Amino acid sequence: MDSLSFDIAHLLAGGLVLLSLMLIYQDRMFGMINVFAGHAFVLSLSVAWQALVQHAPHLYATAAIALVFKPLIIPIALRRLGVSLGIHRELEHVVGVGMTLLSGVGLVALTTAVM
């Protein structure tokens, strides 16, 4: 079980990194909100998994709060705000998507090397 718990924790962490890179790549506002909700959902799953593995009931409360607010309430509010303001366009980038994504991958590689 110990090896399996580490494998699942690493899988969830890898999913968070992947979804973070997807946030960098996304150029449509509603698409970015959807990826944000997915990222928040995987984050709450990760916290719930750590609560199970560490036998820490207070982390279940944290996971529940994160599950209700981040992937549900905040994205719904952002979508409604975007629709009410009439925002249905692509996001403007200061630097190209390729360079930003390459920088994100470089930062992930740097943090992996440091750790």
Side-chain angles (χ1 to χ4, degrees):
M1 175 75 180
D2 195 35
S3 176
L4 179 65
S5 65
F6 280 125
D7 289 343
I8 292 175
H10 288 148
L11 177 70
L12 290 169
L16 286 171
V17 170
L18 178 65
L19 285 166
S20 296
L21 292 175
M22 286 174 64
L23 275 171
I24 292 172
Y25 184 74
Q26 193 57 247
D27 61 348
R28 294 186 183 264
M29 187 183 70
F30 290 114
M32 187 173 287
I33 292 171
N34 291 337
V35 174
F36 171 81
H39 187 274
F41 180 72
V42 173
L43 179 65
S44 62
L45 282 179
S46 181
V47 173
W49 179 252
Q50 288 303 311
L52 179 71
V53 169
Q54 296 178 13
H55 306 291
H58 63 280
L59 288 178
Y60 285 120
T62 304
I65 291 169
L67 183 62
V68 169
F69 284 102
K70 271 191 93 175
L72 294 176
I73 293 176
I74 293 173
I76 289 170
L78 287 174
R79 279 189 202 100
R80 285 186 181 171
L81 186 63
V83 169
S84 69
L85 293 176
I87 302 172
H88 299 287
R89 58 185 165 87
E90 294 183 2
L91 300 173
E92 297 177 14
H93 297 283
V94 176
V95 181
V97 173
M99 184 58 79
T100 306
L101 192 58
L102 187 62
S103 300
V105 170
L107 285 173
V108 169
L110 177 67
T111 56
T112 303
V114 169
M115 293 305 291

